[in-house]
């Protein structure tokens, strides 16, 4: 939803339905938690992918989705001794995110797999497509993150950018000490699916989110110099 007014209207509608029809169950997908008492949350993660450099990759969902798209743009594409490490790396860089996997695979029509990996390691900008039957909002990963960033309040933006200095997983104590965030700021990022809480008071940040946050942090540093 594009603004707070639309969000409030949608949430009020959900509450009205639940109040008047107690037996009704609603399945709702959202980037942000609804924050209502009746809400049961189920966090959706990316497709399973090989997390180390030695395991076989062909049985993972992320690999299968990448291959499915790859053969559409490059018939005959297959896992070989040369392509397997590169496909594994793409799945790791995207953390199994379906849209990112498909966007990466479509570049096989123009550049090599090696080049795709190199570009992904540098920037989100390669994760884009000009396919006409793809909704405009899904043609560019950076645009998706820009939209989400714009919905954050300035203190939340600052905290998200600063957490890019951490590895994939970091402790709450470290986040509070380094970013000077409030616990409320961290929980807001969790509610907006930008951080995921894991065991023992730690948080996990998706690799693509960290790449975007790091760019925002660099931009802020440049503005201050």
């Amino acid at each position: 939803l594009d603004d707070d007014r639309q969000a409030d209207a949608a949430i009020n509608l959900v509450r009205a339905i639940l109040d008047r029809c107690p037996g009704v169950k609603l399945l709702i997908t959202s980037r942000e938690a609804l924050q209502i008492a009746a809400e049961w949350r189920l966090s959706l993660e990316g497709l399973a992918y090989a997390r180390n450099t030695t395991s076989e990759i062909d049985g993972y969902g992320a690999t299968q989705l990448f291959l499915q798209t790859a053969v559409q743009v490059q018939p005959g594409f297959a896992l070989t001794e040369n392509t397997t490490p590169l496909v594994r790396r793409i799945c790791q860089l995207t953390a199994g995110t379906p849209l990112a996997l498909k966007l990466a695979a479509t570049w096989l029509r123009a550049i090599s797999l090696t080049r795709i990996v190199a570009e992904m390691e540098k920037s989100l900008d390669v994760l884009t497509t000009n396919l006409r039957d793809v909704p405009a909002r899904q043609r560019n990963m950076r645009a998706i993150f820009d939209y989400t960033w714009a919905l954050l309040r300035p203190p939340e933006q600052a905290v998200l950018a600063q957490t890019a200095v951490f590895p994939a997983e970091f402790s709450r104590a470290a986040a509070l000490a380094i970013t000077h965030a409030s616990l409320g700021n961290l929980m807001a990022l969790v509610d907006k699916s930008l951080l995921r809480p894991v065991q023992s008071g730690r948080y996990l940040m998706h690799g693509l989110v960290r790449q975007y946050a790091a760019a925002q942090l660099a931009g802020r540093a440049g503005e201050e110099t």
Side-chain angles (χ1 to χ4, degrees):
L1 298 176
D2 294 331
D3 56 39
D4 290 341
R5 183 180 304 174
Q6 288 182 328
D8 289 343
I11 291 172
N12 288 337
L13 176 60
V14 170
R15 294 176 60 188
I17 292 172
L18 296 177
D19 288 343
R20 297 178 185 179
C21 308
V24 168
K25 290 180 172 37
L26 303 174
L27 179 61
I28 300 171
T29 59
S30 174
R31 295 179 188 171
E32 184 174 348
L34 301 183
Q35 302 287 16
I36 60 176
E39 181 178 28
W40 289 61
R41 301 180 190 177
L42 176 63
S43 297
L44 299 180
E45 301 178 15
L47 298 171
Y49 62 96
R51 296 174 183 267
N52 59 59
T53 59
T54 58
S55 62
E56 297 293 330
I57 70 170
D58 55 346
Y60 289 92
T63 304
Q64 293 303 314
L65 179 60
F66 182 87
L67 292 176
Q68 177 183 316
T69 307
V71 296
Q72 288 182 264
V73 298
Q74 190 180 100
F77 182 89
L79 292 177
T80 66
E81 183 178 352
N82 293 327
T83 62
T84 292
L86 297 169
V87 173
R88 178 189 287 113
R89 182 58 177 153
I90 288 172
C91 293
Q92 291 171 346
L93 287 169
T94 62
T97 303
L99 177 59
L101 286 165
K102 296 185 73 171
L103 293 176
T106 59
W107 274 101
L108 283 169
R109 72 190 187 280
I111 60 178
S112 69
L113 197 59
T114 301
R115 179 73 181 278
I116 292 172
V117 172
E119 292 296 327
M120 287 179 64
E121 289 178 336
K122 290 191 303 182
S123 170
L124 291 171
D125 292 336
V126 72
L127 296 178
T128 184
T129 183
N130 58 4
L131 292 176
R132 296 178 179 179
D133 58 347
V134 175
R137 66 182 182 278
Q138 295 180 0
R139 293 179 185 174
N140 187 311
M141 287 300 298
R142 183 174 295 281
I144 291 173
F145 285 126
D146 283 343
Y147 174 80
T148 301
W149 176 265
L151 295 178
L152 298 178
R153 295 178 174 84
E156 297 164 359
Q157 291 178 342
V159 172
L160 182 63
Q162 291 166 355
T163 53
V165 303
F166 295 116
E169 188 178 310
F170 54 91
S171 71
R172 179 184 303 146
L176 295 176
I178 300 300
T179 70
H180 305 293
S182 69
L183 188 56
N185 293 148
L186 293 176
M187 291 310 300
L189 296 178
V190 170
D191 288 339
K192 292 175 171 64
S193 303
L194 294 168
L195 295 179
R196 184 163 65 87
V198 291
Q199 60 186 4
S200 305
R202 299 180 69 82
Y203 296 96
L204 186 66
M205 181 184 284
H206 192 290
L208 294 179
V209 174
R210 188 189 309 104
Q211 192 178 67
Y212 181 86
Q216 294 295 329
L217 182 63
R220 286 169 173 258
E223 291 173 0
E224 294 173 0
T225 57

